Amino acid sequence: MITVLFFAKYRELLGTEQLQLEAESFSSVRDIAQHLSQQGSEWHSIFEQANTMVAVNQKMAKLDSPIQDGDELAFFPPVTGG
Amino acid sequence: MITVLFFAKYRELLGTEQLQLEAESFSSVRDIAQHLSQQGSEWHSIFEQANTMVAVNQKMAKLDSPIQDGDELAFFPPVTGG
Amino acid sequence: MFVRVQKEDFSLKLVEERFSEYTKLQGAKIGAIVTFTGLVREFQHTSEDQEEVQALILEHYPGMTESVLEQIAQTAIKKWQLNDMLIIHRVGTLFPTDNIVLVAAASAHRQDAFDACQYAMDILKTSAPFWKKEQTNKGERWVDAKSSDYNAAGQWITQDLQEN
Amino acid sequence: MFVRVQKEDFSLKLVEERFSEYTKLQGAKIGAIVTFTGLVREFQHTSEDQEEVQALILEHYPGMTESVLEQIAQTAIKKWQLNDMLIIHRVGTLFPTDNIVLVAAASAHRQDAFDACQYAMDILKTSAPFWKKEQTNKGERWVDAKSSDYNAAGQWITQDLQEN
């Protein structure tokens, strides 16, 4: 299983904090993003944004980053701490 | 009268913290420096140094700065606070 | 190195305690301490129709925030040969005048501590997974990332590339 | 603006007290506080035959020091539109780990507070009439001015000239 987390504006927009996906069908972050962007217009809007950030196992990653069973992904808007 | 102060290394070298001069003979810092540099080799050595600093009435000044009766002059080495 | 994400407030006293602890163990090696404190202002925006901030809600990615802050501190300590670095970031609901973030660096010479603090803040602003939501007199809204923050962070990367 | 030359020690608590006083009068306008603390190190020199510092005697020009520090704070407040600035410098006999100087700046945005603190330290180091005498294991000596300090101070003057 792959765990996918959403934070801040994305969490609110999707009404989703966390979801689980079967690992088999996905080999990169891009595969997950493509799958999720087909779940509705809000989902589509998030993955369309050039500045959407992604972390794999709590480290910043890219669309090309590989993923495997057990990984934790997180999608979030640009950070605004400090 | 003009009051002349010396600080730090200069005060120690000259064994002088403060002296008074009659105002009449001096119109600029340079006049005072020339007068004092004739008082002995230690005095000469101080006014020979390019980095000797001077203040007139507690404001940084230059050799050309004018002086008048009642002024307070101070000669000191480059500052090293902070 | 001391890194913490917490709801509770902090005070600069912590910096003095932490670095005097270092001195007890290592001797009087610290010549310069620079601290940065970020606070909640009433008006975060400079636009004409200023919205008065009533509260700021700080969300974060637990686990990842701590590891990003540790990474920032480790990198700064190496890059500037710091004696020590401390980073504290608050989460939860904050109000105007509240502290948000504290960064402190100790070094032998002042320029290192200044640079390290600025580096830590610039990278934190663009890499640490915190998000601010403002509650203002006109409603709620998520704070937008500022391009000036990305430019500030980018300078360090450019500098690193030039040095290598 | 708060400027003081004193024998007594100080703590960062003073910064918090001073700026929270500002906030009580002016509202939550402070978004960034930067502090710089300078301390006495055991080894001030990096040369090979390091002399261990046992004490540091700080002499000053009473009256002129205060007015130079006030001038520095006033200039910084104007130049960076600071909310407030604080400068404290100690005199007398100090020992390793002792505080020497504290500079603190409060501003809306962080870069102003960082720049103002660096400016104040750079100018203080080259313009405020303080002199350090070291008592080391090899005797006493007056500390020499560092050319790096003059270069740091010179940058601000060059910058001002370019802006005008």
Side-chain angles (χ1 to χ4, degrees), chain B residues 5-12 53 55 57-60 72-74 76-82, chain D residues 59-64 89 100-101 124-133 142-145 150:
Chain B
L5 308 174
F6 299 94
F7 287 100
K9 194 193 272 184
Y10 294 177
R11 178 179 46 72
E12 285 189 352
M53 298 172 98
N57 297 328
Q58 309 197 348
K59 283 195 184 346
M60 290 296 187
E72 176 181 294
L73 259 72
F76 44 82
V79 303
T80 56
Chain D
E59 178 172 332
H60 74 129
Y61 184 172
M64 183 169 169
H89 202 297
I100 304 172
V101 61
L124 185 158
K125 283 254 176 194
T126 53
S127 304
F130 294 99
W131 301 272
K132 286 194 190 105
K133 189 191 215 174
W142 289 97
V143 173
D144 282 330
Y150 281 83

Side-chain angles (χ1 to χ4, degrees), chain B residues 24-39:
Chain B
E24 288 72 37
S25 344
F26 310 109
S27 64
S28 73
V29 170
R30 190 187 311 273
D31 296 338
I32 304 252
Q34 277 171 353
H35 170 75
L36 292 174
S37 67
Q38 289 159 18
Q39 309 302 308

Side-chain angles (χ1 to χ4, degrees), chain D residues 28-76:
Chain D
K29 292 185 163 46
I30 297 176
I33 294 172
V34 172
T35 73
F36 172 82
T37 309
L39 303 94
V40 185
R41 289 185 300 135
E42 273 165 334
F43 299 99
Q44 296 289 348
H45 309 287
T46 47
S47 60
E48 280 181 24
D49 60 337
Q50 290 206 314
E51 295 181 36
E52 191 175 338
V53 174
Q54 280 143 2
L56 209 57
I57 298 160
L58 261 146
E59 178 172 332
H60 74 129
Y61 184 172
M64 183 169 169
T65 37
E66 288 84 350
S67 74
V68 170
L69 297 184
E70 277 169 26
Q71 182 63 49
I72 290 172
Q74 270 168 13
T75 306

Side-chain angles (χ1 to χ4, degrees), chain B residues 6-78:
Chain B
F6 299 94
F7 287 100
K9 194 193 272 184
Y10 294 177
R11 178 179 46 72
E12 285 189 352
L13 186 67
L14 305 177
T16 304
E17 198 172 328
Q18 175 171 342
L19 56 81
Q20 308 281 334
L21 294 174
E22 293 293 336
E24 288 72 37
S25 344
F26 310 109
S27 64
S28 73
V29 170
R30 190 187 311 273
D31 296 338
I32 304 252
Q34 277 171 353
H35 170 75
L36 292 174
S37 67
Q38 289 159 18
Q39 309 302 308
S41 61
E42 282 89 1
W43 297 80
H44 188 71
S45 74
I46 282 173
F47 295 103
E48 231 182 3
Q49 288 181 44
N51 58 12
T52 290
M53 298 172 98
V54 61
V56 175
N57 297 328
Q58 309 197 348
K59 283 195 184 346
M60 290 296 187
K62 296 174 181 175
L63 279 178
D64 292 334
S65 301
I67 52 163
Q68 57 185 41
D69 196 17
D71 279 352
E72 176 181 294
L73 259 72
F75 292 102
F76 44 82

Side-chain angles (χ1 to χ4, degrees), chain C residues 2-39:
Chain C
F2 179 96
V3 164
R4 191 163 290 172
V5 178
Q6 64 186 37
K7 287 197 175 184
E8 297 71 35
D9 194 15
F10 55 77
S11 107
L12 291 175
K13 199 176 176 190
L14 198 65
V15 174
E16 292 171 324
E17 286 171 357
R18 167 84 196 173
F19 293 161
S20 90
E21 200 59 40
Y22 174 93
T23 297
K24 268 182 213 151
L25 297 170
Q26 306 285 334
K29 292 185 163 47
I30 297 177
I33 294 173
V34 173
T35 74
F36 172 83
T37 309
L39 303 94

Side-chain angles (χ1 to χ4, degrees), chain C residues 55-86:
Chain C
L56 210 57
I57 298 160
L58 261 147
E59 178 172 330
H60 74 128
Y61 183 173
M64 182 167 169
T65 38
E66 288 84 350
S67 74
V68 170
L69 298 183
E70 278 169 25
Q71 182 62 48
I72 290 171
Q74 271 168 13
T75 306
I77 286 170
K78 249 190 259 170
K79 198 170 159 76
W80 285 282
Q81 301 175 293
L82 303 181
N83 303 108
D84 200 3
M85 177 167 252
L86 171 152

